[in-house]
Amino acid sequence: MLGFIGGSGLYQIEEISNVEFVTIASSFGNPSDDILLGELEGDKIAFLPRHGRKHTLNPSEINYRANIDAMKQLGVTELVSLSAVGSLEESISPGTFVIVEQFVDKTYLRKKTFYEEGLVAHVSLADPTCKIMNRIIKEAAKDSSIEIHENGVYVVIEGPQFSSKMESEIYRNWGCTVIGMTNMPEAKLAREAEICYSTIAMVTDYDCWHPSHDSVTVEMILQQMAKNVVKAKKIIPGIARQHGKSATNGNDCGCKNALDNAIVTGIKDRNPSSVARCSHVAGRVLSK
């Protein structure tokens, strides 16, 4: 099952048919909003607005664990994040879409794992996005005549403030491509839940490093965001169409067996309440 998490500006997808809104109870708290279930291009999908439909949650307030747990409960196996970002490269101008391959996590206020309090697990994040879903997104962009860059490196800052000029230059020197506030720990948690995860980073501005503007404003971002959302709603049906043809049914990408040998706490030593909380995200391995 294909899922989408929409970022700033993307709160609904009108093209979805047979729409149903469901409230999912998570043992990790409340998800950002009710989740929309429906059909798109013959594919069953789920959609969740990351900040809530009225954009009431700042990046640090989002309950990332509840969001991913809720998607897992619904049976989502592949998850596409659509996120507004700033560009850290001259060649990646506002309006550009980027497929993210790597992350640099600079957040520090957020719960970043499902596995704690007597249940410890370590998953690999060497390749934090799904190579098969990245390929599907690339094909969907091509079919939709939308230019999209590959091999993006997304640095995730805590926010909600934008970065300083010095921070922006540091991230550029590190080789980061885009900057945003929301894809961590989302990507980490998706991997812990054995969900294939990919990001379409939608560029709204050049951050504050660019000589053409020395600050990023909400007004600037909103103007470009509206244009990006039009393009996003064009590519989303293409992703659903491609997904229906070539869903990641096996483990070729490695995402769906990320928990193999990851849990290091012995069966007899596991905290029963922690095991119960993780029954959805880790049920495949905890039931053994």
Side-chain angles (χ1 to χ4, degrees), residues 32-288:
S32 296
D33 210 323
D34 288 346
I35 298 175
L36 183 155
L37 297 178
E39 294 182 7
L40 187 63
E41 296 291 332
D43 210 15
K44 186 177 180 181
I45 72 148
F47 173 78
L48 174 65
R50 186 186 287 115
H51 298 277
R53 283 180 174 80
K54 296 182 179 180
H55 205 118
T56 54
L57 299 170
N58 78 31
S60 301
E61 293 176 319
I62 294 166
N63 191 334
Y64 296 93
R65 295 198 298 180
N67 286 350
I68 297 298
D69 182 54
M71 286 291 195
K72 185 74 174 185
Q73 287 188 53
L74 288 171
V76 169
T77 50
E78 289 84 34
L79 185 58
V80 177
S81 161
L82 296 112
S83 304
V85 299
S87 171
L88 297 171
E89 288 189 10
E90 181 77 46
S91 61
I92 300 179
S93 58
T96 301
F97 282 12
V98 179
I99 298 174
V100 174
E101 287 198 359
Q102 290 291 326
F103 292 101
V104 176
D105 186 1
K106 296 296 292 179
T107 65
Y108 52 85
L109 292 177
R110 310 170 188 187
K111 286 283 191 178
K112 301 188 180 188
T113 182
F114 292 111
Y115 306 105
E116 59 184 2
E117 300 176 0
L119 182 64
V120 179
H122 302 281
V123 300
S124 172
L125 274 175
D127 298 299
T129 60
C130 177
K131 61 183 180 182
I132 295 177
M133 283 305 300
N134 287 349
R135 186 165 66 241
I136 286 173
I137 292 169
K138 179 182 177 181
E139 289 300 316
K142 181 180 178 181
D143 290 347
S144 303
S145 300
I146 293 174
E147 181 181 0
I148 195 163
H149 289 248
E150 299 180 79
N151 308 315
V153 180
Y154 179 158
V155 57
V156 191
I157 62 173
E158 186 64 48
Q161 303 84 3
F162 298 119
S163 61
S164 69
K165 288 182 180 179
M166 179 58 72
E167 289 169 330
S168 193
E169 289 294 352
I170 288 172
Y171 302 144
R172 278 166 46 78
N173 288 333
W174 285 354
C176 298
T177 311
V178 294
I179 182 170
M181 302 178 188
T182 57
N183 276 205
M184 283 291 173
E186 196 172 82
K188 290 179 176 179
L189 295 167
R191 181 60 52 84
E192 286 193 341
E194 298 188 318
I195 295 174
C196 297
Y197 181 90
S198 292
T199 292
I200 301 175
M202 305 181 295
V203 177
T204 58
D205 59 88
Y206 269 122
D207 206 43
C208 60
W209 66 271
H210 199 280
S212 69
H213 59 265
D214 59 4
S215 63
V216 181
T217 66
V218 172
E219 181 182 11
M220 174 196 308
I221 290 174
L222 290 177
Q223 289 176 354
Q224 184 59 57
M225 192 184 297
K227 300 176 184 178
N228 288 351
V229 166
V230 173
K231 293 168 63 176
K233 290 183 178 181
K234 186 177 179 182
I235 197 174
I236 285 171
I239 294 171
R241 190 161 50 247
Q242 290 291 334
H243 176 264
K245 294 178 182 177
S246 55
T248 56
N249 295 319
N251 287 324
D252 294 342
C253 55
C255 306
K256 291 187 174 66
N257 58 358
L259 289 175
D260 285 357
N261 305 311
I263 296 178
V264 297
T265 308
I267 294 176
K268 295 181 179 180
D269 299 316
R270 296 172 185 172
N271 181 343
S273 63
S274 295
V275 171
R277 284 210 302 171
C278 293
S279 60
H280 300 292
V281 295
R284 183 183 72 84
V285 294
L286 290 176
S287 61
K288 293 181 179 179

